[in-house]
Amino acid sequence: MAPTAQLSATSSPTEPERIVAFLGASAPFSDIDAAERGRLLAAARRLTLEAGAGVYAYGDALAGFYVILEGRVEVRDRSGALLSLLGPGDGFGERGLLREGRALATVSAQTAVDLLLISAEDFKRLLRDNRAFEEFFERSKPEAPRPANLAAKPIAEIMTAQPITCRPDHTIQEVARMMRDKRVACLPITDDAAKLIGIVTTKDLTKRALAEGMPGDTAVSAIMTADPIALDPAALGGDVLFEMLEHGIGHLPVVADGALIGIVSQTDLTRVQALSSATLIRELQGADTTAEVARLTARIPTLLGQLVGAGHRHDVITRLVTDIADAATRRLLRLAEKELGTPPVPYLWLACGSQGRREQTGVSDQDNCLFIDDAMKPEDDAYFEALARIVTTGLAECGYMLCPGDMMASNPRWRQPIRVWREYFDGWIRKPDPMAQMLASVMFDLRPVAGDFSLHDAVIGDVLERASANSIFVAHMVKNAVGHAPPLGLFGGVATIRSGEHKQTIDLKHNGVVSVVDLGRIYALQGRLRPVNTRARLEAALEAKVISETGGRDLIDAYDFIAETRLRHQARQARDGVSIDNFMSPSRLSDLERSHMRDAFVVVRTMQSALTHTRAAVM
């Protein structure tokens, strides 16, 4: 279980309520309702252990699933080697370190810890009765501690593309400054045609220049290693390891037809071995500044490439990427509270859009809002305005672009007490004009991220039922949902953008996945279904018979193909060191893939047409 929460005294007045709120901010307990979390807490045991105390040892019978409320524990294998360090919000035991009821590892308290022990019976009941809860553990399996298969990785997934270079006539002083300013330990040396002719490292500057008393204006060609060992783009991680060990070097250029295209360092190898969503989340929890949070989220493109390369399903990847955004948001909120002091009244920070649906990719803007307790006084808004400003600007610094429509908590319209939010939803449902439809579409994807989770139920509790019961509202939502048409030409071929910056490409977001996102939202509304994630909505709609068996299966397959194509496109951009976007040229696809893409778009258009006929019948 990923660490996604911090036990805080600012949200709820009593200890049980604080723990229920804490579980509500910790995946996968965030996927079950508050009443169920309350029942779990009533049946669970609280354990407080001193530093050094054992929780259980290898081979012991396990009593259930443990959740860390405070402190840290260490997990060691049978030989005593450290497997993992776990902190607040982490869980372990059942479905993690277990075989036939026996522990596969030894767990002990690194610091004083406060644990919640959920019995094996209750845990198994949750797995049996709660689909999202079970799916979390199924999807978390790839994140279990294990060494990365570095030797089999293509070098393109390891190297730093388009590295900083210098010319042979640069002086050693200029080179030293470049390495200092760019924070690199080596510089490839190329000629005007980008051909690799040498390499210089910090060791060369020390041993060949400084130690020999060379003047600073000496050309770097005097100390460089000429014609260095280089690798071909077809090389694997195992080739990197062999060359480094065989020749005692720490940097290897990657060359294609004599031209430098990348470089691999020992730091790159370490990064590949260590990087995971769980690692990033754990480091985010300890970040002390916004800049440190941003430094960690900058690793997301690399992680995205690795997850795609490992063959994970698209909804697993986007869930893991979104978990990082959630952790960054929670950390920025804690930093804001540290700066501003205790909130005057309870609040809840919510994500909408792709973060709300847990569908973030390598490029995302931010959509968020604040629910504030009705005890809020007018003068309290100064605190929440400052809180929202700190967090939204911090998220922008972390790469989550400011929302072009200003749908963020920094906008006073989306930072309101509960009574105002009720009025918003009542108005949108009662008078479904085009603007109301757009706003309702966004707000039906709301998901609590941090704060007092009970405020969410206070607003949304009966909204889905009232909205689905209003046939005119549903009909207008359907009209809004079919606005993103799949890119099909007059004769059924895949149509590209005709002009502008992205000419001859397909927008895999707005004309691809968003078309299915809109359909999933309508099915959830029609069936009064609670899932927010698009694929989960489609599966729930299929199970509830909101859509036909054939249409539902085809739509899920179409969505999978479009979403996975989009992620592969972004992973390729991350590997190539270029800006990530959603615009892909069809020439990137094989003939068979283009045929599949066309078929996927046809399925989406067919399902949109079916919805349109439903709306016409209602109107």
Side-chain angles (χ1 to χ4, degrees):
M1 191 171 82
T4 57
Q6 293 289 330
L7 193 59
S8 168
T10 62
S11 297
S12 306
T14 67
E15 180 71 4
E17 290 173 342
R18 284 200 300 131
I19 297 176
V20 168
F22 174 85
L23 290 176
S26 303
F29 297 98
S30 54
D31 290 323
I32 61 179
D33 60 39
E36 179 62 31
R37 292 196 293 269
R39 286 192 291 272
L40 275 180
L41 178 60
R45 291 173 54 198
R46 290 283 295 278
L47 303 174
T48 302
L49 302 176
E50 298 298 324
V55 181
Y56 55 74
Y58 181 91
D60 284 352
L62 289 184
F65 189 81
Y66 297 79
V67 180
I68 304 172
L69 302 177
E70 298 283 359
R72 295 194 175 276
V73 305
E74 54 185 36
V75 182
R76 296 183 179 274
D77 66 15
R78 188 175 187 178
S79 66
L82 184 66
L83 290 176
S84 183
L85 292 175
L86 306 178
D90 272 327
F92 56 92
E94 292 275 352
R95 281 290 180 106
L97 304 172
L98 175 74
R99 182 187 291 129
E100 297 178 354
R102 299 288 172 177
L104 293 178
T106 295
V107 179
S108 59
Q110 188 184 61
T111 67
V113 294
D114 189 8
L115 299 170
L116 192 69
L117 174 57
I118 298 169
S119 71
E121 291 74 19
D122 279 342
F123 186 82
K124 291 173 182 175
R125 177 178 56 79
L126 283 172
L127 290 172
R128 183 182 66 249
D129 298 342
N130 190 288
R131 187 176 201 170
F133 195 86
E134 181 183 20
E135 284 183 351
F136 175 88
F137 286 94
E138 289 301 316
R139 295 174 185 179
S140 297
K141 285 180 179 178
E143 287 291 292
R146 71 189 192 284
N149 188 11
L150 175 62
K153 278 189 174 295
I155 199 169
E157 295 182 16
I158 304 172
M159 72 180 189
T160 298
Q162 300 177 341
I164 304 298
T165 63
C166 66
R167 297 190 310 275
D169 58 351
H170 271 108
T171 68
I172 57 176
Q173 186 175 39
E174 289 173 328
V175 168
R177 286 174 177 166
M178 290 172 66
M179 294 168 72
R180 177 199 64 191
D181 295 343
K182 299 298 182 180
R183 297 182 179 181
V184 296
C186 78
L187 282 181
I189 300 168
T190 58
D191 61 18
D192 293 337
K195 298 290 185 180
L196 179 71
I197 59 176
I199 191 170
V200 61
T201 67
T202 51
K203 184 184 293 186
D204 295 327
L205 290 172
T206 302
K207 292 187 174 182
R208 298 181 180 179
L210 184 61
E212 298 298 328
M214 288 185 175
D217 59 359
T218 302
V220 72
S221 57
I223 64 167
M224 73 179 186
T225 299
D227 298 321
I229 297 168
L231 290 176
D232 184 87
L236 300 176
D239 301 317
V240 177
L241 293 170
F242 174 80
E243 295 292 351
M244 285 186 173
L245 291 172
E246 179 74 9
H247 300 283
I249 53 179
H251 304 86
L252 276 169
V254 182
V255 173
D257 297 325
L260 179 75
I261 63 170
I263 193 162
V264 182
S265 68
Q266 290 178 334
T267 301
D268 293 321
L269 301 183
T270 302
R271 169 180 50 76
V272 170
Q273 290 282 59
L275 186 58
S276 71
S277 62
T279 301
L280 281 180
I281 290 171
R282 186 167 290 112
E283 291 186 37
L284 282 166
Q285 287 191 312
D288 292 324
T289 64
T290 298
E292 190 174 350
V293 175
R295 178 182 61 79
L296 293 168
T297 56
R299 301 181 191 173
I300 290 175
T302 301
L303 175 64
L304 177 71
Q306 292 181 19
L307 292 171
V308 171
H312 297 299
R313 208 170 70 182
H314 69 90
D315 54 325
V316 174
I317 296 172
T318 56
R319 170 64 184 261
L320 295 174
V321 170
T322 305
D323 284 347
I324 297 169
D326 289 355
T329 302
R330 293 187 184 103
R331 192 57 192 160
L332 291 171
L333 282 165
R334 298 289 80 78
L335 294 175
E337 287 186 14
K338 184 177 180 180
E339 177 181 337
L340 301 172
T342 302
V345 295
Y347 72 88
L348 177 63
W349 185 280
L350 302 101
C352 40
S354 60
Q355 185 180 0
R357 297 188 304 273
R358 290 189 168 113
E359 293 169 6
Q360 287 192 314
T361 64
V363 53
S364 299
D365 57 8
Q366 53 176 296
D367 299 280
N368 45 63
C369 61
L370 268 178
F371 286 6
I372 307 174
D373 192 279
D374 278 337
M376 173 188 181
K377 299 175 182 177
E379 57 269 25
D380 293 337
D381 187 56
Y383 177 95
F384 291 111
E385 187 280 329
L387 179 93
R389 176 174 40 79
I390 291 170
V391 176
T392 54
T393 57
L395 287 171
E397 187 176 332
C398 292
Y400 301 100
M401 299 172 289
L402 296 173
C403 175
D406 202 20
M407 190 165 284
M408 298 178 293
S410 52
N411 181 340
R413 185 179 186 185
W414 310 124
R415 184 180 70 245
Q416 293 290 338
I418 295 300
R419 61 180 179 275
V420 175
W421 280 104
R422 287 198 189 98
E423 292 172 0
Y424 284 168
F425 278 97
D426 287 343
W428 296 333
I429 295 170
R430 191 172 57 253
K431 296 181 180 180
D433 58 38
M435 179 58 71
Q437 297 308 303
M438 186 274 290
L439 295 173
S441 294
V442 174
M443 292 303 169
F444 276 127
D445 294 347
L446 279 177
R447 181 174 59 84
V449 173
D452 187 344
F453 279 52
S454 66
L455 297 178
H456 179 254
D457 289 338
V459 175
I460 305 297
D462 65 340
V463 164
L464 197 60
E465 184 172 348
R466 288 189 291 112
S468 62
N470 187 325
S471 59
I472 296 177
F473 175 82
V474 173
H476 281 280
M477 286 287 286
V478 168
K479 181 180 179 181
N480 189 65
V482 298
H484 293 102
L488 289 171
L490 183 62
F491 299 105
V494 175
T496 59
I497 298 171
R498 293 185 177 182
S499 60
E501 178 185 358
H502 303 296
K503 184 178 180 181
Q504 302 301 317
T505 66
I506 306 168
D507 185 345
L508 291 171
K509 177 181 178 181
H510 290 102
N511 296 118
V513 295
V514 170
S515 303
V516 187
V517 167
D518 289 341
L519 288 172
R521 189 183 298 113
I522 293 298
Y523 299 147
L525 181 60
Q526 291 176 329
R528 302 179 186 182
L529 308 172
R530 296 306 295 264
V532 175
N533 174 266
T534 297
R535 200 178 195 280
R537 279 173 166 169
L538 298 179
E539 291 175 340
L542 187 61
E543 185 174 342
K545 301 188 184 306
V546 174
I547 48 180
S548 69
E549 180 75 19
T550 300
R553 290 296 172 198
D554 285 350
L555 186 58
I556 290 172
D557 288 346
Y559 179 56
D560 286 345
F561 184 80
I562 298 167
E564 286 169 6
T565 300
R566 179 192 184 199
L567 284 180
R568 288 198 301 272
H569 165 69
Q570 293 188 356
R572 184 167 52 245
Q573 291 178 315
R575 181 197 66 200
D576 294 344
V578 300
S579 297
I580 291 177
D581 61 27
N582 294 293
F583 300 94
M584 186 197 71
S585 170
S587 64
R588 285 284 190 177
L589 300 175
S590 68
D591 290 344
L592 183 61
E593 288 171 327
R594 279 197 294 275
S595 176
H596 286 332
M597 181 67 75
R598 183 190 63 246
D599 291 344
F601 288 150
V602 169
V603 169
V604 175
R605 176 175 283 183
T606 300
M607 299 302 284
Q608 286 180 332
S609 297
L611 263 186
T612 303
H613 293 149
T614 301
R615 177 177 68 90
V618 172
M619 298 298 285

